[in-house]
Short mmCIF file of all heavy atoms in Angstrom, two decimals:
data_model
loop_
_atom_site.label_atom_id
_atom_site.label_comp_id
_atom_site.label_asym_id
_atom_site.label_seq_id
_atom_site.Cartn_x
_atom_site.Cartn_y
_atom_site.Cartn_z
N GLY A 123 -3.31 -6.26 -4.49
CA GLY A 123 -2.58 -7.51 -4.63
C GLY A 123 -1.10 -7.35 -4.34
O GLY A 123 -0.67 -6.37 -3.74
N SER A 124 -0.32 -8.32 -4.80
CA SER A 124 1.12 -8.30 -4.53
C SER A 124 1.90 -8.87 -5.72
O SER A 124 1.54 -9.91 -6.27
CB SER A 124 1.44 -9.12 -3.29
OG SER A 124 2.85 -9.22 -3.10
N LEU A 125 2.96 -8.17 -6.08
CA LEU A 125 3.86 -8.65 -7.13
C LEU A 125 4.61 -9.90 -6.69
O LEU A 125 5.12 -10.66 -7.53
CB LEU A 125 4.89 -7.56 -7.47
CG LEU A 125 4.66 -6.74 -8.73
CD1 LEU A 125 5.72 -5.67 -8.86
CD2 LEU A 125 4.64 -7.62 -9.96
N ARG A 126 4.68 -10.13 -5.39
CA ARG A 126 5.41 -11.29 -4.87
C ARG A 126 4.61 -12.58 -5.02
O ARG A 126 5.12 -13.66 -4.72
CB ARG A 126 5.81 -11.05 -3.42
CG ARG A 126 6.79 -9.91 -3.26
CD ARG A 126 7.05 -9.58 -1.80
NE ARG A 126 7.85 -8.38 -1.66
CZ ARG A 126 9.18 -8.36 -1.54
NH1 ARG A 126 9.84 -9.49 -1.53
NH2 ARG A 126 9.82 -7.22 -1.42
N ARG A 127 3.35 -12.45 -5.42
CA ARG A 127 2.52 -13.62 -5.72
C ARG A 127 2.18 -13.61 -7.21
O ARG A 127 1.84 -12.57 -7.76
CB ARG A 127 1.21 -13.61 -4.92
CG ARG A 127 1.37 -13.67 -3.42
CD ARG A 127 0.01 -13.85 -2.76
NE ARG A 127 -0.92 -12.79 -3.12
CZ ARG A 127 -1.07 -11.65 -2.42
NH1 ARG A 127 -0.35 -11.44 -1.36
NH2 ARG A 127 -1.95 -10.74 -2.82
N TRP A 128 2.27 -14.75 -7.84
CA TRP A 128 1.86 -14.88 -9.24
C TRP A 128 0.76 -15.91 -9.34
O TRP A 128 0.53 -16.69 -8.39
CB TRP A 128 3.07 -15.25 -10.12
CG TRP A 128 3.97 -14.08 -10.38
CD1 TRP A 128 4.54 -13.26 -9.45
CD2 TRP A 128 4.41 -13.59 -11.65
NE1 TRP A 128 5.30 -12.28 -10.05
CE2 TRP A 128 5.24 -12.47 -11.41
CE3 TRP A 128 4.19 -13.99 -12.95
CZ2 TRP A 128 5.84 -11.74 -12.43
CZ3 TRP A 128 4.78 -13.27 -13.99
CH2 TRP A 128 5.60 -12.17 -13.73
N ARG A 129 0.08 -15.92 -10.47
CA ARG A 129 -1.00 -16.88 -10.66
C ARG A 129 -1.16 -17.19 -12.14
O ARG A 129 -0.68 -16.45 -13.01
CB ARG A 129 -2.31 -16.35 -10.09
CG ARG A 129 -2.93 -15.19 -10.88
CD ARG A 129 -4.27 -14.81 -10.29
NE ARG A 129 -5.05 -13.94 -11.17
CZ ARG A 129 -5.24 -12.65 -10.97
NH1 ARG A 129 -4.70 -12.05 -9.92
NH2 ARG A 129 -5.98 -11.95 -11.81
N CYS A 130 -1.85 -18.29 -12.42
CA CYS A 130 -2.19 -18.66 -13.80
C CYS A 130 -3.69 -18.51 -13.97
O CYS A 130 -4.46 -19.22 -13.32
CB CYS A 130 -1.76 -20.10 -14.09
SG CYS A 130 -2.28 -20.69 -15.72
N ASP A 131 -4.10 -17.61 -14.82
CA ASP A 131 -5.52 -17.41 -15.05
C ASP A 131 -6.11 -18.51 -15.94
O ASP A 131 -7.33 -18.66 -16.00
CB ASP A 131 -5.77 -16.04 -15.69
CG ASP A 131 -5.65 -14.91 -14.68
OD1 ASP A 131 -5.65 -15.19 -13.46
OD2 ASP A 131 -5.56 -13.74 -15.10
N HIS A 132 -5.25 -19.26 -16.61
CA HIS A 132 -5.76 -20.31 -17.52
C HIS A 132 -6.30 -21.50 -16.73
O HIS A 132 -7.40 -21.99 -17.01
CB HIS A 132 -4.65 -20.76 -18.46
CG HIS A 132 -5.08 -21.81 -19.43
ND1 HIS A 132 -5.88 -21.51 -20.52
CD2 HIS A 132 -4.83 -23.15 -19.51
CE1 HIS A 132 -6.12 -22.62 -21.20
NE2 HIS A 132 -5.49 -23.62 -20.62
N CYS A 133 -5.54 -21.97 -15.73
CA CYS A 133 -5.97 -23.15 -14.96
C CYS A 133 -6.25 -22.85 -13.50
O CYS A 133 -6.69 -23.73 -12.76
CB CYS A 133 -4.93 -24.26 -15.07
SG CYS A 133 -3.40 -23.98 -14.16
N GLY A 134 -5.96 -21.61 -13.06
CA GLY A 134 -6.24 -21.24 -11.67
C GLY A 134 -5.12 -21.54 -10.70
O GLY A 134 -5.27 -21.29 -9.49
N ASN A 135 -4.00 -22.07 -11.17
CA ASN A 135 -2.89 -22.40 -10.28
C ASN A 135 -2.31 -21.14 -9.63
O ASN A 135 -2.12 -20.13 -10.29
CB ASN A 135 -1.80 -23.12 -11.08
CG ASN A 135 -0.61 -23.52 -10.22
OD1 ASN A 135 -0.75 -23.80 -9.04
ND2 ASN A 135 0.56 -23.55 -10.84
N ARG A 136 -2.06 -21.22 -8.32
CA ARG A 136 -1.44 -20.10 -7.60
C ARG A 136 -0.15 -20.53 -6.90
O ARG A 136 0.34 -19.82 -6.04
CB ARG A 136 -2.42 -19.53 -6.58
CG ARG A 136 -3.58 -18.75 -7.21
CD ARG A 136 -4.56 -18.26 -6.17
NE ARG A 136 -5.60 -17.44 -6.78
CZ ARG A 136 -5.54 -16.11 -6.90
NH1 ARG A 136 -4.49 -15.46 -6.43
NH2 ARG A 136 -6.51 -15.44 -7.47
N ARG A 137 0.38 -21.69 -7.27
CA ARG A 137 1.58 -22.19 -6.62
C ARG A 137 2.72 -22.28 -7.62
O ARG A 137 2.58 -22.89 -8.69
CB ARG A 137 1.32 -23.57 -6.00
CG ARG A 137 0.22 -23.56 -4.94
CD ARG A 137 0.09 -24.90 -4.27
NE ARG A 137 1.30 -25.26 -3.53
CZ ARG A 137 1.44 -26.38 -2.84
NH1 ARG A 137 0.46 -27.26 -2.80
NH2 ARG A 137 2.57 -26.63 -2.19
N GLY A 138 3.85 -21.68 -7.27
CA GLY A 138 5.03 -21.73 -8.12
C GLY A 138 5.78 -23.03 -7.96
O GLY A 138 5.22 -24.00 -7.42
N PRO A 139 7.02 -23.11 -8.41
CA PRO A 139 7.78 -21.99 -8.99
C PRO A 139 7.30 -21.64 -10.41
O PRO A 139 6.77 -22.50 -11.11
CB PRO A 139 9.21 -22.52 -9.02
CG PRO A 139 9.05 -24.01 -9.14
CD PRO A 139 7.82 -24.35 -8.36
N TRP A 140 7.51 -20.37 -10.78
CA TRP A 140 7.06 -19.87 -12.07
C TRP A 140 8.26 -19.74 -13.01
O TRP A 140 8.68 -18.64 -13.34
CB TRP A 140 6.35 -18.55 -11.91
CG TRP A 140 5.26 -18.58 -10.88
CD1 TRP A 140 5.33 -18.14 -9.60
CD2 TRP A 140 3.95 -19.12 -11.05
NE1 TRP A 140 4.14 -18.35 -8.96
CE2 TRP A 140 3.26 -18.94 -9.82
CE3 TRP A 140 3.27 -19.72 -12.12
CZ2 TRP A 140 1.95 -19.36 -9.62
CZ3 TRP A 140 1.97 -20.12 -11.93
CH2 TRP A 140 1.32 -19.95 -10.71
N LEU A 141 8.81 -20.87 -13.39
CA LEU A 141 10.00 -20.85 -14.24
C LEU A 141 9.68 -20.22 -15.58
O LEU A 141 8.71 -20.62 -16.25
CB LEU A 141 10.53 -22.27 -14.43
CG LEU A 141 10.95 -23.00 -13.14
CD1 LEU A 141 11.38 -24.42 -13.45
CD2 LEU A 141 12.03 -22.23 -12.41
N LEU A 142 10.49 -19.24 -15.96
CA LEU A 142 10.29 -18.49 -17.20
C LEU A 142 8.88 -17.89 -17.26
O LEU A 142 8.29 -17.73 -18.33
CB LEU A 142 10.53 -19.38 -18.42
CG LEU A 142 11.94 -19.99 -18.52
CD1 LEU A 142 12.04 -20.91 -19.72
CD2 LEU A 142 12.99 -18.88 -18.59
N ASN A 143 8.34 -17.55 -16.07
CA ASN A 143 7.02 -16.93 -15.94
C ASN A 143 5.91 -17.81 -16.51
O ASN A 143 4.89 -17.32 -17.00
CB ASN A 143 7.00 -15.56 -16.63
CG ASN A 143 8.02 -14.62 -16.06
OD1 ASN A 143 8.15 -14.49 -14.85
ND2 ASN A 143 8.80 -13.98 -16.93
N ARG A 144 6.10 -19.12 -16.43
CA ARG A 144 5.08 -20.04 -16.91
C ARG A 144 4.55 -20.92 -15.78
O ARG A 144 5.24 -21.18 -14.80
CB ARG A 144 5.63 -20.91 -18.05
CG ARG A 144 5.83 -20.13 -19.34
CD ARG A 144 6.15 -21.05 -20.51
NE ARG A 144 6.28 -20.30 -21.76
CZ ARG A 144 5.27 -20.00 -22.56
NH1 ARG A 144 4.04 -20.38 -22.22
NH2 ARG A 144 5.46 -19.32 -23.67
N CYS A 145 3.31 -21.35 -15.96
CA CYS A 145 2.65 -22.21 -14.97
C CYS A 145 3.20 -23.62 -15.06
O CYS A 145 3.23 -24.22 -16.14
CB CYS A 145 1.14 -22.21 -15.24
SG CYS A 145 0.20 -23.35 -14.21
N LYS A 146 3.62 -24.19 -13.93
CA LYS A 146 4.18 -25.55 -13.95
C LYS A 146 3.09 -26.59 -14.18
O LYS A 146 3.38 -27.71 -14.59
CB LYS A 146 4.89 -25.83 -12.62
CG LYS A 146 3.96 -25.88 -11.40
CD LYS A 146 4.72 -26.25 -10.16
CE LYS A 146 3.78 -26.34 -8.93
NZ LYS A 146 4.50 -26.73 -7.72
N ARG A 147 1.83 -26.22 -13.95
CA ARG A 147 0.74 -27.18 -14.11
C ARG A 147 0.29 -27.31 -15.57
O ARG A 147 0.12 -28.41 -16.07
CB ARG A 147 -0.45 -26.78 -13.25
CG ARG A 147 -1.64 -27.72 -13.37
CD ARG A 147 -2.87 -27.16 -12.66
NE ARG A 147 -2.67 -27.08 -11.22
CZ ARG A 147 -3.54 -26.50 -10.40
NH1 ARG A 147 -4.64 -25.93 -10.88
NH2 ARG A 147 -3.31 -26.46 -9.10
N CYS A 148 0.10 -26.17 -16.26
CA CYS A 148 -0.45 -26.24 -17.62
C CYS A 148 0.45 -25.63 -18.68
O CYS A 148 0.16 -25.74 -19.87
CB CYS A 148 -1.83 -25.58 -17.66
SG CYS A 148 -1.79 -23.77 -17.56
N GLY A 149 1.51 -24.95 -18.26
CA GLY A 149 2.44 -24.38 -19.22
C GLY A 149 2.07 -23.01 -19.75
O GLY A 149 2.81 -22.41 -20.52
N SER A 150 0.90 -22.48 -19.34
CA SER A 150 0.49 -21.15 -19.79
C SER A 150 1.33 -20.08 -19.12
O SER A 150 1.97 -20.31 -18.09
CB SER A 150 -0.99 -20.93 -19.47
OG SER A 150 -1.80 -21.87 -20.13
N ARG A 151 1.32 -18.89 -19.71
CA ARG A 151 2.05 -17.78 -19.11
C ARG A 151 1.35 -17.34 -17.83
O ARG A 151 0.13 -17.15 -17.80
CB ARG A 151 2.15 -16.61 -20.08
CG ARG A 151 3.14 -16.85 -21.21
CD ARG A 151 3.38 -15.59 -22.00
NE ARG A 151 4.31 -15.82 -23.10
CZ ARG A 151 5.63 -15.68 -23.00
NH1 ARG A 151 6.16 -15.30 -21.85
NH2 ARG A 151 6.40 -15.91 -24.05
N ALA A 152 2.15 -17.19 -16.79
CA ALA A 152 1.62 -16.72 -15.51
C ALA A 152 1.61 -15.19 -15.49
O ALA A 152 2.19 -14.54 -16.36
CB ALA A 152 2.46 -17.26 -14.37
N ARG A 153 0.98 -14.64 -14.48
CA ARG A 153 0.89 -13.19 -14.35
C ARG A 153 0.96 -12.83 -12.87
O ARG A 153 0.67 -13.65 -12.00
CB ARG A 153 -0.41 -12.68 -14.94
CG ARG A 153 -1.64 -13.35 -14.37
CD ARG A 153 -2.88 -12.51 -14.51
NE ARG A 153 -2.88 -11.38 -13.59
CZ ARG A 153 -3.84 -10.46 -13.56
NH1 ARG A 153 -4.86 -10.54 -14.38
NH2 ARG A 153 -3.78 -9.46 -12.70
N PRO A 154 1.35 -11.59 -12.57
CA PRO A 154 1.37 -11.17 -11.17
C PRO A 154 -0.05 -11.16 -10.59
O PRO A 154 -1.02 -10.88 -11.29
CB PRO A 154 1.93 -9.75 -11.23
CG PRO A 154 2.50 -9.58 -12.59
CD PRO A 154 1.78 -10.52 -13.48
N ASP A 155 -0.14 -11.47 -9.32
CA ASP A 155 -1.43 -11.46 -8.63
C ASP A 155 -1.72 -10.04 -8.16
O ASP A 155 -1.86 -9.77 -6.97
CB ASP A 155 -1.40 -12.43 -7.45
CG ASP A 155 -2.79 -12.73 -6.91
OD1 ASP A 155 -3.78 -12.30 -7.54
OD2 ASP A 155 -2.88 -13.36 -5.84
N VAL A 156 -1.81 -9.13 -9.12
CA VAL A 156 -2.10 -7.72 -8.84
C VAL A 156 -3.33 -7.30 -9.64
O VAL A 156 -3.66 -7.90 -10.66
CB VAL A 156 -0.91 -6.80 -9.18
CG1 VAL A 156 0.33 -7.19 -8.39
CG2 VAL A 156 -0.61 -6.82 -10.68
N VAL A 157 -3.98 -6.25 -9.14
CA VAL A 157 -5.17 -5.73 -9.81
C VAL A 157 -4.71 -4.77 -10.91
O VAL A 157 -4.04 -3.77 -10.63
CB VAL A 157 -6.09 -5.01 -8.83
CG1 VAL A 157 -7.31 -4.44 -9.55
CG2 VAL A 157 -6.52 -5.96 -7.71
N MET A 158 -5.08 -5.06 -12.14
CA MET A 158 -4.71 -4.23 -13.27
C MET A 158 -5.92 -3.44 -13.75
O MET A 158 -7.05 -3.67 -13.31
CB MET A 158 -4.14 -5.10 -14.39
CG MET A 158 -2.90 -5.86 -13.98
SD MET A 158 -2.12 -6.74 -15.34
CE MET A 158 -0.79 -7.57 -14.45
N PHE A 159 -5.66 -2.50 -14.66
CA PHE A 159 -6.76 -1.76 -15.25
C PHE A 159 -7.72 -2.76 -15.92
O PHE A 159 -7.30 -3.71 -16.57
CB PHE A 159 -6.26 -0.76 -16.28
CG PHE A 159 -5.47 0.38 -15.68
CD1 PHE A 159 -4.19 0.65 -16.13
CD2 PHE A 159 -6.01 1.16 -14.68
CE1 PHE A 159 -3.45 1.69 -15.59
CE2 PHE A 159 -5.29 2.21 -14.13
CZ PHE A 159 -4.02 2.48 -14.58
N GLY A 160 -9.00 -2.53 -15.74
CA GLY A 160 -10.00 -3.42 -16.30
C GLY A 160 -10.41 -4.53 -15.37
O GLY A 160 -11.24 -5.37 -15.73
N GLU A 161 -9.84 -4.57 -14.15
CA GLU A 161 -10.16 -5.61 -13.18
C GLU A 161 -10.73 -5.00 -11.91
O GLU A 161 -10.45 -3.85 -11.57
CB GLU A 161 -8.91 -6.44 -12.83
CG GLU A 161 -8.36 -7.22 -14.01
CD GLU A 161 -7.15 -8.04 -13.65
OE1 GLU A 161 -6.30 -7.56 -12.87
OE2 GLU A 161 -7.05 -9.16 -14.17
N MET A 162 -11.50 -5.81 -11.20
CA MET A 162 -12.08 -5.38 -9.92
C MET A 162 -11.14 -5.74 -8.78
O MET A 162 -10.38 -6.72 -8.86
CB MET A 162 -13.43 -6.07 -9.70
CG MET A 162 -14.47 -5.76 -10.75
SD MET A 162 -15.07 -4.06 -10.62
CE MET A 162 -15.98 -4.16 -9.08
N LEU A 163 -11.20 -4.97 -7.70
CA LEU A 163 -10.47 -5.33 -6.50
C LEU A 163 -11.08 -6.58 -5.89
O LEU A 163 -12.26 -6.89 -6.11
CB LEU A 163 -10.51 -4.19 -5.47
CG LEU A 163 -9.40 -3.13 -5.55
CD1 LEU A 163 -9.46 -2.38 -6.85
CD2 LEU A 163 -9.50 -2.17 -4.37
#
Side-chain angles (χ1 to χ4, degrees):
S124 174
L125 259 177
R126 295 173 187 267
R127 298 188 303 269
W128 283 53
R129 70 176 194 254
C130 174
D131 284 346
H132 181 74
C133 72
N135 181 31
R136 289 177 175 267
R137 300 185 64 179
W140 308 100
L141 299 177
L142 300 177
N143 302 313
R144 289 190 177 273
C145 174
K146 66 176 182 179
R147 180 189 294 173
C148 73
S150 299
R151 286 190 181 270
R153 55 157 287 177
D155 194 8
V156 301
V157 179
M158 299 186 184
F159 292 125
E161 296 181 321
M162 299 289 291
L163 271 64

